[in-house]
DNA sequence: ATTAGCACTCGACCATCAAGAGTGCTAACA
DNA sequence: TGTTAGCACTCTTGATGGTCGAGTGCTAAT
């Protein structure tokens, strides 16, 4: 048995309806819709076929059918047309995004907010990170007697800072001096190269070993490590508006995941800098997200750094809208943060 | 009618029981408990009195009684003994808190986590802020062609940073020069004094006006403004474990509040640097928190800066435990962040 | 002043039932 | 041969009613 045009048509009608209503859809409903001009009986036969093919599930004998993950897969791959975002929405996004500061962190936060408001799902955004993060400048700013703030400026324009301990006999100007020397030596290096360079420095130099070791350690920690970088979540309560979350247990499980960034972060990063990924239901690795879908998109900052945005919603999410919003948002952030 | 000792005893027994079970408590239950050695009938009479006095409510005729907010108020003010935190808990807190970095932001985050884990309620912590925040040092770090990172170190050890635009003809050393001059001039000043100082500088000086204006603006924004500073929330899903949140609508309302930091922040800050505040149910300003209680405590960083922690839970929360944990946590954070 | 006894109230729980939506199958139809 | 009408059947949903038990308030006895 193959999928002919009529089966496609009916399947699409079913999914469209189910996405809207979350109610198992019956043959009559489809027939009335107008988009498919067959009698309920005919549609029933087709639905029976579609169920056998694994595209539809039946919660119980006398209910309508609901789309299976396989059906959604087909839907997003072939059936649904991604429309452009509406003029108004686009304007709203850029306007809100451009408010106040253009600090990366602030923009990210606002983006998460807009995404979740627009889609009414839950949004995630990672701050930009880069495989080939390069050091551009290093500066030590004295903070107190024997601590200083280590600031690392990278090619991504991202600033990582951390407090380090410095020996007592170091004064302000010496720190500045050291900053300049290190900046010159480390300029343009990736983290692994920085590590090598430090090895060299250690070989050649015999003073300040302790401070330098502390610096390297801190840099590793803040830049190299990045086991899970910053991530912002928006609209965590949005999913409660959908009937699939009428059950408090489900809500609990979901919110639990949102709180454990360690779990969430890899999910986003594994998508990498690919333009889009869509994970439907069981395609997600996390068991807690088995009946959610995750759509991700990426944005760039400059040429080397990328961040990932994601939308989590029920499997019956409005993929067309989500993809179009994410797509636009990707461009908007890229423009805003890369702009000179 | 006055509250005699027996009424106190019975009321306390009722509240204790209700905090534990969340089930309306009847006269028999209390009588069996042993702590009150009267027959159910006697207790019933007393309960009837307590209801008339406004300390107990009756959901319906044939149910037990539940404590009113007024009762909780009495409870926390006079009835409950705040115990010291257990040895084990104390150790767990300090251990976990001391892990990895001692960066303020990191400590705060971990503290929120520990608080919510230990109490099983939702925790909030603001990063430290100060009425009399004083500038200690200013430094400009070049980031790209014509932008620099403005770093302000304050007496609270807090670092605020922001990107500012600088004229093209400024090089690295000039920025350093300027940083030193500004640091010297602004050292020890509060934000309002900084504003005055800038006015002076403007009068005397005719060069670099634009840059200076940008600096002032940015500092206002980052330090002066602080409409709502950083705040971390932990255990937002914890409340779902309590029967009062079996209703999804309530969950939604609650999570909604947690997301709007603008609402939450004043709640914490209004508590100020007072050692403790306890707001029970309707004593809270936010309508969404009418049947929650909020307990806050403060911590210090150095001598000038304070932050606020809070625990939100159902009105029938375990006040004794919450207060003891918050109290200990306050000291722990203060120690950790003030330590040289 | 306290308590035992008792009638009364009310929600929780359960079984029963009717209504309605949807199906699968069969037979009729174009 | 593909499509459709008809019909018996299934299963959920919501309403109804009855029982059970926890808890109360009152009265009378201690």
């Amino acid at each position: 048995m193959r999928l002919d045009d009529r089966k496609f048509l009916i399947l699409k009608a079913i999914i469209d309806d189910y996405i809207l209503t979350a109610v198992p859809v019956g043959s009559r409903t489809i027939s009335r819709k107008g988009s498919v001009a067959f009698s309920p009986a005919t549609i029933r036969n087709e639905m029976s076929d579609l169920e056998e093919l694994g595209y539809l599930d039946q919660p119980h004998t006398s209910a309508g059918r609901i789309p299976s993950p396989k059906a959604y897969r087909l839907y997003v791959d072939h059936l649904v047309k991604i429309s452009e975002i509406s003029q108004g929405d686009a304007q709203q996004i850029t306007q809100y995004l451009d408010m106040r500061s253009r600090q990366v962190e602030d923009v990210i936060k606002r983006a998460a907010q807009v995404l979740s408001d627009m889609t009414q799902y839950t949004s995630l955004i990672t701050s930009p990170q880069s495989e080939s993060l390069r050091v551009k400048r290093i500066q030590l700013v004295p903070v107190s007697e024997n601590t200083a703030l280590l600031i690392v400026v990278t090619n991504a324009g991202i600033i990582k800072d951390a407090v380090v301990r410095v020996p007592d006999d170091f004064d302000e100007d010496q720190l500045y001096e050291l900053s300049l020397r290190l900046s010159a030596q480390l300029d343009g290096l990736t983290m692994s190269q920085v590590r090598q360079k430090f090895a060299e420095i250690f070989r050649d130099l015999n003073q300040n070993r302790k401070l330098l070791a502390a610096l390297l350690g801190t840099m590793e920690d803040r830049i190299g490590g990045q086991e899970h970088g910053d991530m912002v979540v928006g609209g965590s309560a949005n999913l409660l508006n959908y009937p699939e979350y009428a059950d408090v247990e489900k809500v609990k499980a979901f919110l639990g995941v949102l709180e454990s960034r360690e779990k969430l972060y890899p999910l986003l990063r594994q998508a990498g800098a690919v333009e889009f990924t869509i994970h439907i239901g069981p395609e997600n690795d996390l068991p807690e997200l088995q009946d959610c879908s995750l759509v991700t998109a990426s944005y760039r900052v400059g040429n080397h750094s990328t961040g990932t945005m994601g939308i989590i919603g029920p499997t019956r999410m409005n993929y067309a809208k989500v993809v179009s919003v994410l797509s636009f948002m990707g461009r908007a952030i890229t423009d805003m943060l890369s702009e000179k």
Side-chain angles (χ1 to χ4, degrees), chain A:
Chain A
M1 181 164 32
R2 280 302 313 136
L3 285 172
D4 54 24
D5 283 357
R6 196 169 70 186
K7 284 195 173 56
F8 276 131
L9 200 64
I10 291 176
L11 185 55
K12 178 164 189 314
I14 293 174
I15 299 178
D16 281 336
D17 190 82
Y18 188 71
I19 282 180
L20 229 60
T21 64
V23 170
V25 7
S27 50
R28 262 194 65 106
T29 323
I30 295 301
S31 164
R32 256 175 312 179
K33 277 282 151 104
S35 60
V36 185
F38 293 98
S39 80
T42 309
I43 294 176
R44 271 206 294 282
N45 289 330
E46 296 287 30
M47 283 166 97
S48 179
D49 290 353
L50 284 169
E51 184 172 354
E52 202 174 324
L53 288 166
Y55 291 104
L56 293 179
D57 290 329
Q58 207 170 11
H60 55 265
T61 326
S62 74
R65 309 296 215 289
I66 63 176
S68 71
K70 189 175 169 188
Y72 287 116
R73 180 84 273 168
L74 186 71
Y75 183 77
V76 301
D77 285 347
H78 298 112
L79 266 34
V80 74
K81 274 276 171 299
I82 306 301
S83 55
E84 261 308 297
I85 192 174
S86 88
Q87 195 77 29
D89 284 357
Q91 204 173 358
Q92 202 182 326
I93 289 181
T94 41
Q95 247 174 35
Y96 190 63
L97 221 56
D98 206 7
M99 263 171 48
R100 301 176 56 89
S101 113
R102 289 196 171 198
Q103 295 276 94
V104 175
E105 289 308 314
D106 294 338
V107 172
I108 299 289
K109 264 185 202 159
R110 289 202 300 273
Q113 178 104 44
V114 181
L115 278 181
S116 56
D117 280 0
M118 286 221 142
T119 60
Q120 287 297 303
Y121 301 120
T122 299
S123 67
L124 315 169
I125 309 193
T126 70
S127 54
Q129 289 193 307
S130 164
E131 296 306 312
S132 61
L133 206 60
R134 283 165 194 282
V135 173
K136 222 167 125 187
R137 175 178 302 278
I138 286 189
Q139 188 120 10
L140 284 161
V141 181
V143 172
S144 73
E145 278 294 299
N146 50 8
T147 57
L149 183 69
L150 167 66
I151 293 158
V152 183
V153 180
T154 69
N155 60 336
I158 313 302
I159 290 93
K160 299 288 176 178
D161 57 65
V163 176
V164 293
R165 202 164 278 269
V166 296
D168 291 341
D169 51 358
F170 251 72
D171 74 9
E172 192 161 340
D173 287 323
Q174 280 176 298
L175 282 178
Y176 183 61
E177 186 64 26
L178 181 60
S179 304
L180 287 183
R181 276 224 313 281
L182 282 177
S183 293
Q185 290 198 278
L186 302 180
D187 183 34
L189 302 190
T190 66
M191 201 48 219
S192 57
Q193 292 173 314
V194 166
R195 230 169 281 137
Q196 288 179 6
K197 194 74 182 177
F198 262 90
E200 285 178 34
I201 297 179
F202 275 134
R203 219 179 308 116
D204 299 347
L205 198 72
N206 228 330
Q207 40 178 287
N208 296 331
R209 285 210 152 186
K210 209 161 160 194
L211 175 57
L212 288 172
L215 289 185
L216 179 60
T218 310
M219 285 176 69
E220 294 262 20
D221 210 43
R222 289 258 132 184
I223 305 177
Q226 48 170 253
E227 337 78 66
H228 56 284
D230 270 338
M231 182 167 59
V232 180
V233 176
S236 49
N238 277 356
L239 291 205
L240 300 198
N241 293 317
Y242 302 102
E244 29 270 271
Y245 286 89
D247 180 13
V248 180
E249 282 308 311
K250 277 193 167 184
V251 177
K252 210 189 299 182
F254 180 72
L255 290 178
V257 182
L258 285 192
E259 276 205 0
S260 61
R261 307 283 152 116
E262 331 70 81
K263 284 187 186 174
L264 231 38
Y265 193 75
L267 228 61
L268 280 189
R269 288 309 291 184
Q270 85 187 15
V274 181
E275 195 181 0
F276 282 109
T277 71
I278 300 184
H279 286 101
I280 297 164
E283 298 172 11
N284 285 305
D285 289 337
L286 288 186
E288 296 93 334
L289 298 183
Q290 292 292 305
D291 40 37
C292 294
S293 282
L294 168 66
V295 182
T296 72
S298 62
Y299 65 88
R300 278 179 302 104
V301 178
N303 286 323
H304 296 290
S305 183
T306 63
T308 313
M309 310 172 283
I311 297 279
I312 301 185
T315 41
R316 61 171 192 96
M317 75 162 63
N318 187 335
Y319 294 95
K321 167 143 197 179
V322 166
V323 170
S324 68
V325 170
L326 273 180
S327 161
F328 184 85
M329 179 63 88
R331 274 168 306 182
I333 298 185
T334 300
D335 288 352
M336 183 149 309
L337 293 184
S338 301
E339 190 179 289
K340 278 283 134 344

